[in-house]
Amino acid sequence: MSTDRRLYFIRAMYEGLRDAMREDKTVVVIGEDVDRSIIGATRGLIEEFGPERVRNTPISEATFVGACIGASAAGLRPVVDLMVGSFFYVAMDQVANQAAKLPYMSGGQVSLPIVYFTATGPSGSAAAQHSENPHPMLMNVAGLKIVMPSSPCDAKGLMISAIRDPNPVIYLQDAVLGGTRGPVPEEPYSIPIGEAEVKREGEDVTVVAIGALVNRALKVAGEMERDGISVEVVDPRTLVPMDKKTILDSVRKTGRLVVCDNARMTCSAASEIAAFVSEEAFDSLKTAPRRVAWEDVPVPFSPVLEKRVLVDEEKIRAAVESTLATRTRA
């Protein structure tokens, strides 16, 4: 797909929602203040689709997340705006014990086409309770699909795919990407769930980056090219199911792996990717994989301390250089 039209990330999400609602009258949007949309993805939908399909709820995540499970079982396709990623914690029984497990426990007799979407991750001194990236914990809940786009084009295409999917899908919008712009085709289109993309080809090191870290990895790759270091950047786009083949093919070509994940190190997506690469492509590795993730602490409010914890270009570059400096296996 190519286009000269450039949209903000959050507007691309809106277009995906709008196009899916035009396509299917059973698609409804539910959440707190979705008629005006504090963050912006649902702003303007109520003017076209009315309050029957764009419905505000009380501030009770556990209630409306659970209500949408019943609504989807009865034939609707609810799209739930949770607003902030850490609000998943308030509704975890409904997400992990009900939405994720009922299709399995009913032997496939119940289909639950629900999308739970939210802004997630640090956005600049939002403090510990509004800076979470819950994707590692959600990846461990069998029965959920999880997407995390890094560009406006992917944001629209993955939103449409998530809504069309017959299973519960978690759609995570990295909070710092909302105001970024990029090319977005005008017509409806879908990005397949479970399909990674090589954002930049390279020969020396594979960098797998998630969400907003894709752009930072691409910036580092561009800078290191001037030093004669060729970095390949892979964007998983979907965390569950993970496109292992694209990542393994890249590592088998470069022999080195760095994984960048804006989440705590322990049990992170970075840890999972490093683990399956070590198991399935060990004979291709020239040195040990490197993980670039947070220390196991809450995200600080203090700008100085927050910067100390989060993943930035300097940490990505240092990890890439360390894989090149380490003595390679014979």
Side-chain angles (χ1 to χ4, degrees), residues 2 5 20-21 51 72 83 94 97 123 128 136 151 158 190 295:
S2 63
R5 195 179 69 130
M21 293 181 79
S72 64
M83 200 177 299
Q94 284 75 9
N97 256 344
S123 56
S151 70
L158 281 170
S190 60
E295 298 172 48

Side-chain angles (χ1 to χ4, degrees), residues 72-106:
S72 64
L76 293 178
R77 288 182 175 270
V79 181
V80 184
D81 182 359
L82 268 164
M83 200 177 299
V84 176
S86 54
F87 294 171
F88 271 108
Y89 300 152
V90 183
M92 274 307 286
D93 181 63
Q94 284 75 9
V95 173
N97 256 344
Q98 309 302 330
K101 293 185 174 62
L102 287 181
Y104 169 77
M105 294 176 71
S106 68

Side-chain angles (χ1 to χ4, degrees), residues 22-301:
R22 288 176 177 174
E23 177 182 273
D24 185 345
K25 292 183 178 179
T26 67
V27 177
V28 295
V29 174
I30 295 173
E32 299 156 5
D33 295 329
V34 290
D35 60 340
R36 67 202 69 181
S37 188
I38 303 300
I39 297 177
T42 63
R43 192 173 302 154
L45 292 176
I46 196 167
E47 282 80 4
E48 179 171 350
F49 301 104
E52 288 296 314
R53 296 182 64 191
V54 182
R55 180 155 296 208
N56 283 342
T57 66
I59 303 176
S60 179
E61 288 80 8
T63 300
F64 65 77
V65 165
C68 287
I69 297 170
S72 64
L76 293 178
R77 288 182 175 270
V79 181
V80 184
D81 182 359
L82 268 164
M83 200 177 299
V84 176
S86 54
F87 294 171
F88 271 108
Y89 300 152
V90 183
M92 274 307 286
D93 181 63
Q94 284 75 9
V95 173
N97 256 344
Q98 309 302 330
K101 293 185 174 62
L102 287 181
Y104 169 77
M105 294 176 71
S106 68
Q109 296 181 76
V110 175
S111 177
L112 299 178
I114 314 170
V115 176
Y116 295 113
F117 81 90
T118 183
T120 187
S123 56
S125 292
Q129 292 176 325
H130 292 79
S131 299
E132 287 286 282
N133 257 332
H135 61 269
M137 181 182 62
L138 294 167
M139 288 172 70
N140 191 249
V141 176
L144 300 174
K145 295 182 178 180
I146 303 172
V147 301
M148 196 165 183
S150 69
S151 70
C153 181
D154 289 349
K156 179 175 176 177
L158 281 170
M159 179 63 80
I160 291 175
S161 292
I163 295 172
R164 289 175 179 169
D165 199 279
N167 302 290
V169 178
I170 308 292
Y171 182 110
L172 299 174
Q173 174 234 323
D174 200 317
V176 296
L177 291 176
T180 60
R181 297 179 70 186
V184 180
E186 191 161 0
E187 68 278 10
Y189 61 92
S190 60
I191 301 288
I193 292 176
E195 188 172 295
E197 183 179 23
V198 176
K199 296 288 189 182
R200 178 191 176 103
E201 294 192 355
E203 301 294 331
D204 297 326
V205 185
T206 295
V207 174
V208 178
I210 296 169
L213 296 184
V214 173
N215 291 334
R216 293 185 176 179
L218 288 169
K219 181 180 177 184
V220 170
E223 293 169 352
M224 298 191 82
E225 185 178 34
R226 295 194 287 270
D227 300 325
I229 299 169
S230 177
V231 178
E232 180 150 303
V233 178
V234 179
D235 177 4
R237 302 196 292 193
T238 300
L239 300 177
V240 180
M242 182 79 72
D243 181 359
K244 293 183 177 180
K245 182 179 183 304
T246 296
I247 295 172
L248 290 168
D249 286 349
S250 177
V251 173
R252 289 186 176 114
K253 180 175 69 171
T254 66
R256 299 178 177 88
L257 172 66
V258 172
V259 193
C260 307
D261 185 8
N262 250 337
R264 281 178 277 279
M265 182 77 77
T266 299
C267 298
S268 60
S271 298
E272 174 61 21
I273 293 168
F276 77 70
V277 168
S278 297
E279 289 177 344
E280 300 180 38
F282 184 74
D283 57 345
S284 301
L285 288 170
K286 298 173 181 174
T287 186
R290 298 286 190 275
R291 295 171 295 165
V292 189
W294 304 346
E295 298 172 48
D296 292 336
V297 297
V299 176
F301 169 77

Side-chain angles (χ1 to χ4, degrees), residues 124-128 299-309:
S125 292
V299 176
F301 169 77
S302 157
V304 175
L305 295 177
E306 185 183 53
K307 184 178 186 308
R308 168 71 175 78
V309 170

